[in-house]
Amino acid sequence: MSNHTYSKFLHAYLSIIFINFVIRLIVIFLIRMHLDELQQGERRLLVADDEIQPQNVVDGKKKKKRGPTRMGMVQSRIKITFNERGQPVAENSSKLSSYLGVIAREHIPIVIDNWRKVDEEIKQQLWELVQQRFIWEGDHKDIIFKMLNNCWRIYKSRKTAEIIEANEAVDRSRALNNIIRPQNLRSNTEWEAFVKKRLSDEFKAKSNNFRKMRKKQKLSHTMGRKGYARMEDDMKKERKLVEIPREDVWTKGHLRKDGKPINEAVSETLVSITKHL
């Protein structure tokens, strides 16, 4: 092979290598763009978090804990229906609740004591986010904010349960460090202060008082996440009625699937309601 021929062959070979290298770079760039889009999409997943209690016990039986509900991304604004009392009802009301749970967790720092102390700028940002996702008739800002507050309190309760459980672990320090810190905190110092406060004697005393109050509440319901408003709306559709008696709604919300009262206290209350009808 002559030098000229070898030079042409080497040039062609290097050109092929260079082209393959460029193609690889382009592919890697496109993959990274795709992964970024997926991560952004995952942030928009609607996750509804229920309040976590150590154990729920009804009639001596442990109830199963419900995990987070995952939903797809919202592509366009969803229509929300409100009843005559200003409560969201129908199928899309659960989507609203789920979305409120996500943005409350992501935008309201967990270290703030209560809703009244949440900055007005944060509240306005939350309101704009809700309006971008949902549409409705009338003015329902107050109920939306009440729902946001409730979702945020549930999230704080969940984190508190995680902290208390970790504090009682064998390897306490490791268990506490494994808890995922909220991303909207400005520093690790804020998180450490929150953990310390939740493990304080003062907070334990307050928590015990609320636990005692919950134990006194014997009229357990069977509605799950649905609530009275959505249950009433479903009953109206099933019976094709404009109005459902409140005692009928209450009764259905405290019966098992087999139609029996959930406990003795509910049974006695139903007898009393029947007598006064």
Side-chain angles (χ1 to χ4, degrees):
M1 181 183 296
S2 64
N3 290 337
H4 179 67
T5 304
Y6 177 79
S7 178
K8 289 178 63 178
F9 173 80
L10 181 61
H11 182 268
Y13 178 74
L14 292 175
S15 297
I16 293 173
I17 292 178
F18 177 76
I19 292 172
N20 286 335
F21 176 75
V22 172
I23 292 174
R24 283 174 175 269
L25 287 178
I26 293 173
V27 171
I28 291 173
F29 175 76
L30 292 174
I31 291 175
R32 286 183 177 178
M33 285 185 62
H34 180 63
L35 289 175
D36 288 339
E37 291 176 357
L38 287 177
Q39 289 175 353
Q40 291 176 5
E42 289 174 356
R43 293 191 190 101
R44 295 172 187 169
L45 283 174
L46 305 182
V47 184
D49 296 312
D50 285 346
E51 183 173 5
I52 294 181
Q53 299 295 339
Q55 284 291 348
N56 290 326
V57 180
V58 177
D59 293 343
K61 298 180 181 179
K62 294 181 180 179
K63 295 175 66 178
K64 295 180 180 179
K65 295 180 181 179
R66 191 177 79 62
T69 301
R70 297 188 175 275
M71 302 169 60
M73 289 185 295
V74 180
Q75 301 296 335
S76 58
R77 291 208 292 175
I78 298 175
K79 178 68 179 293
I80 300 297
T81 302
F82 289 83
N83 64 15
E84 63 276 7
R85 290 185 291 276
Q87 301 165 310
V89 294
E91 181 182 359
N92 289 337
S93 61
S94 61
K95 296 178 182 179
L96 173 64
S97 298
S98 297
Y99 184 71
L100 295 181
V102 173
I103 62 175
R105 182 183 70 241
E106 291 183 348
H107 293 272
I108 309 175
I110 198 172
V111 295
I112 298 177
D113 289 335
N114 55 63
W115 177 260
R116 292 188 300 274
K117 295 184 179 180
V118 176
D119 191 83
E120 289 300 323
E121 185 177 344
I122 294 177
K123 291 181 180 179
Q124 181 60 30
Q125 184 181 13
L126 291 169
W127 178 239
E128 291 175 359
L129 287 171
V130 176
Q131 288 181 305
Q132 289 171 12
R133 298 287 182 180
F134 301 93
I135 186 171
W136 55 79
E137 295 179 0
D139 181 13
H140 300 289
K141 188 173 184 178
D142 288 344
I143 187 63
I144 295 294
F145 274 6
K146 286 180 181 178
M147 293 174 68
L148 278 166
N149 179 27
N150 185 55
C151 290
W152 179 55
R153 290 174 59 192
I154 287 174
Y155 172 62
K156 292 179 71 172
S157 296
R158 180 188 181 193
K159 279 298 176 185
T160 299
E162 289 182 33
I163 292 169
I164 293 174
E165 184 178 355
N167 189 57
E168 296 173 352
V170 176
D171 193 344
R172 173 180 174 276
S173 179
R174 182 176 181 180
L176 287 171
N177 288 332
N178 285 339
I179 298 176
I180 299 176
R181 195 193 86 183
Q183 296 181 356
N184 55 21
L185 296 183
R186 290 174 295 183
S187 66
N188 196 50
T189 304
E190 285 188 326
W191 172 246
E192 291 173 352
F194 177 79
V195 172
K196 184 177 180 180
K197 185 175 181 179
R198 295 289 157 162
L199 295 177
S200 67
D201 292 336
E202 181 183 356
F203 184 83
K204 288 179 181 177
K206 185 186 297 184
S207 180
N208 288 334
N209 288 334
F210 281 118
R211 191 174 292 112
K212 291 177 182 178
M213 291 171 61
R214 284 197 297 269
K215 286 183 178 179
K216 293 179 181 179
Q217 298 174 359
K218 300 184 181 297
L219 298 177
S220 304
H221 65 77
T222 57
M223 293 179 291
R225 293 181 64 215
K226 179 171 286 190
Y228 286 111
R230 286 178 59 197
M231 176 171 287
E232 181 183 20
D233 186 65
D234 290 345
M235 293 173 70
K236 287 179 181 178
K237 292 176 181 176
E238 290 172 4
R239 302 183 186 183
K240 297 181 180 179
L241 296 174
V242 177
E243 187 175 350
I244 299 290
R246 299 301 298 274
E247 59 270 17
D248 287 6
V249 180
W250 191 93
T251 299
K252 185 171 182 179
H254 292 78
L255 298 179
R256 301 181 188 276
K257 291 182 179 180
D258 59 6
K260 296 179 180 179
I262 192 170
N263 57 35
E264 187 62 30
V266 170
S267 180
E268 293 174 358
T269 302
L270 290 175
V271 171
S272 177
I273 290 175
T274 303
K275 288 181 179 179
H276 289 84
L277 288 178

